[in-house]
Amino acid sequence: MHPSLLVALLAAVPAGAYDRAAIPVTRWPEAFDPVQVLPEEWEARTGLGGPLEVRRRSGPPAPAAGGEPAPRMVAIVEASLYPDLEEELATWAADLARDGWEVLLESAAGGTADELKAHLRELYAGGLEGALLVGDLPVAWFEVENDYHAYGYAVFPCDLRYMDLDGDWIDQDGNGIADLHTGGTGDVEPEIWVGRMVVTPTMGDPVEILEAYFARNHAFRTGAILPGGEGLVYVDDDWVPWAREFAGEVALGFEEVTLERDLTDTRVADYLPRLTQTWDTIAVFVHSSPEAHYFVYDGVYDLLYWDGVPSDADALFYDLFACSNANFTDYVYMAGVYALQTEGGLLALGSTKTGSMLERTGYYQPLGQGEAFGTAFVRWWASVAPYTIDDVWWYYGLVQVGDPTLRTGYPTLGADPPALEAVADGATPITLGLAITSTGTPAVRVEATTDAAWITLDPASVEVGADPVGIDVTLHPNAAPGGLAVGSVVLDAPGATNGPLVVPVSLEVGDPAVACAEPSAIDEAADLDGDRIAVPVVITNCGSGTLVFEATVDVPWARLRPTGGRVTDAPTVLHVTLDPAGLEAGVHEATLTLASGDGGEPLDIPLALEIREAGDACSGCAGRPGRHGLSLLAAVGALLVLGRRREA
């Protein structure tokens, strides 16, 4: 890398309002015989005429009811191009839907700027946030009598006319071209963003160029093209005093900025090789025309024409502080070459006239916060409003060429470990940690869901950046099917290149813990104020894993020891003591309850104690077993299932 370059993580240098009397205006040098494209010339070349005919191709006719509405945008495509691009447009719309957009696809033919604006106004009433205009569609022209009080008459495409839907655009001299902008019924600020994709005949076949563009767009959205966060700010001679301010503003949107401002280096031979390096963005400050850059080198102009831009230029985004470089009504325009025809190009910001964007903080700050380029464009316009005649001269030609729904990057999600596995030892829930990361964009909200009822997540929504953020994944064996239970944790974020990211989860669950107990019922007899009776209940685990139980009884004359325990291979003896003291003659009944620790259905053991008068025979003891009733009850072999219930 050239030793004169400044490479750093640049903190933004607040510019405030630029002194427009001091800063040089971008120019189309008179030595190169500048010729404006007039509206009638453009109309003759495109053959656009007749009333506007719009056809809805896909998308809901009205905003979705209920809940938080998704941001809505429309792509209006020249009718003759739509059939050849239908497949690419469908893929692109699906990508936008994954990024949270609601997309309308329309084709259009003919019409005037007023008709197209009326259509956009109708869509705006339904929640429209932006419009992408693809192909030759009506142009909203604007004119000034004497540009900058120095350059004479200027007429140029002005997409702000489509963006400001409640202001008035007035034709004072009646020649059919607006020349005054007022707040009208609202204000002069834009309500929606507008982007352009125009392929002029000189550039090549529009279908081939746009097919390649949408393929590139899809690759970027799905992670096949990954951003690196680096930007190049390339400042030619006239703007060197403001170079650090420019670089500081760009650094609000891109992490690492390389600044080139050396008077002896900024020329075509130095600039060209940089175009094939892997920048996310290139901001170039140079005198220009629609078809060329005019670097000042050694006192003369050093020219780079549009066909000298290498096709393998790798930058994704371009900021063209370059006079009329984005005038899409000319026979060729460099913004279209950069954004639509290079290997990396996705979007270019530029002007259709002399002038460019100043005070870029309002543009790059939203980009750095993950907003779409179109949203950032609208916010910048709002940040510099209201507009004076200086603003008209500098800003009214600004357009975005390419897809304004794009962001500077899309999250690529990571999960560590990539899969979760566990073996259940009984019914105790198992909690595993999952670390989530997101790279390629500012921090995003990641939503975690699961497809299995036996998996719970805490938390289920987290803000994630490059530093890992953990969530707890808890597996509940008592709710899982037997054997090997398989489920997943699904991670997703708006527009994630690899979303939704699926983390497989498996839980090996053995046979249920089963308690075998004898006896299954206790039936004893005692004399008034007789001795206490001790009855052992033997609990064994007839299943696998660990049996966890808790024992309770609902009368004071029966006591239990222990009141709970864990059973694996060896049995546990539950000692039940019956105390006749204070009981009246007769049969007294109670219930011994065994509850499983995994929340299974509690099981009851009936308990009866008959109290006799001294010397009385046992009135109900015919066939009664011996004192503790073990022999018969052991033969019965009661089976108490304390674990989970399963259907065969």
Side-chain angles (χ1 to χ4, degrees), residues 98-99 218-228 407-416 435-446 463-469 491-503:
R98 192 181 67 250
D99 196 24
H218 177 67
F220 180 64
R221 291 177 180 276
T222 55
I225 298 173
L226 290 175
R407 295 184 273 139
T408 59
Y410 292 88
T412 298
L413 304 179
D416 185 25
I436 305 171
T437 56
S438 173
T439 57
T441 190
V444 293
R445 175 64 57 178
V446 176
E463 192 80 10
V464 181
D467 295 329
V469 175
L491 306 175
D492 206 2
T497 62
N498 58 342
L501 176 63
V502 178
V503 179

Side-chain angles (χ1 to χ4, degrees), residues 159-489:
D159 277 352
L160 180 61
R161 281 187 60 188
Y162 287 139
M163 297 167 64
D164 171 33
L165 298 175
D166 59 8
D168 281 344
W169 295 80
I170 302 166
D171 175 14
Q172 298 180 102
D173 57 13
N175 68 346
I177 302 174
D179 51 25
L180 177 65
H181 181 201
T182 67
T185 60
D187 53 39
V188 294
E189 300 173 28
E191 282 67 53
I192 64 170
W193 49 259
V194 167
R196 288 278 183 174
M197 286 188 195
V198 178
V199 178
T200 67
T202 304
M203 293 168 61
D205 181 88
V207 171
E208 291 181 3
I209 291 172
L210 292 173
E211 283 177 341
Y213 175 86
F214 282 112
R216 196 161 61 246
N217 189 300
H218 177 67
F220 180 64
R221 291 177 180 276
T222 55
I225 298 173
L226 290 175
E230 297 183 1
L232 171 66
V233 177
Y234 199 88
V235 184
D236 201 25
D237 300 19
D238 274 356
W239 300 281
V240 167
W242 297 271
R244 283 191 57 81
E245 291 175 304
F246 296 152
E249 291 166 340
V250 174
L252 293 170
F254 299 87
E255 291 182 2
E256 185 173 304
V257 169
T258 296
L259 172 62
E260 177 55 77
R261 57 177 176 174
D262 192 291
L263 295 173
T264 62
D265 288 338
T266 53
R267 53 179 173 145
V268 174
D270 183 72
Y271 177 70
L272 270 180
R274 298 176 190 274
L275 291 177
T276 56
Q277 296 170 355
T278 55
W279 309 104
D280 283 7
T281 190
I282 294 178
V284 60
F285 298 74
V286 59
H287 292 297
S288 299
S289 64
E291 70 271 12
H293 292 323
Y294 306 105
F295 293 96
V296 176
Y297 179 66
D298 199 19
V300 298
Y301 286 116
D302 188 20
L303 275 63
L304 172 62
Y305 281 102
W306 66 275
D307 54 358
V309 174
S311 61
D312 60 347
D314 205 42
L316 306 173
F317 312 111
Y318 294 86
D319 180 348
L320 304 174
F321 192 97
C323 172
S324 60
N325 229 208
N327 192 340
F328 55 86
T329 64
D330 213 308
Y331 74 97
V332 69
Y333 66 119
M334 291 189 74
V337 173
Y338 280 127
L340 306 178
Q341 285 192 270
T342 59
E343 284 188 5
L346 293 169
L347 183 135
L349 168 72
S351 180
T352 62
K353 69 178 295 291
T354 296
S356 190
M357 180 184 281
L358 295 171
E359 301 161 32
R360 286 174 161 78
T361 296
Y363 182 70
Y364 280 102
Q365 198 165 60
L367 292 179
Q369 295 168 347
E371 298 283 3
F373 278 88
T375 303
F377 197 31
V378 169
R379 291 191 177 180
W380 173 83
W381 276 108
S383 73
V384 296
Y387 315 127
T388 66
I389 187 60
D390 284 337
D391 296 305
V392 173
W393 294 333
W394 271 96
Y395 301 150
Y396 271 40
L398 284 171
V399 296
Q400 288 188 321
V401 178
D403 175 10
T405 67
L406 288 167
R407 295 184 273 139
T408 59
Y410 292 88
T412 298
L413 304 179
D416 185 25
L420 296 172
E421 300 177 350
V423 177
D425 181 14
T428 304
I430 301 168
T431 298
L432 304 174
L434 184 65
I436 305 171
T437 56
S438 173
T439 57
T441 190
V444 293
R445 175 64 57 178
V446 176
E447 303 293 338
T449 58
T450 179
D451 59 358
W454 50 272
I455 301 174
T456 57
L457 307 172
D458 184 30
S461 179
V462 288
E463 192 80 10
V464 181
D467 295 329
V469 175
I471 66 171
D472 290 333
V473 181
T474 301
L475 316 181
H476 301 270
N478 62 324
L484 184 64
V486 177
S488 62
V489 174

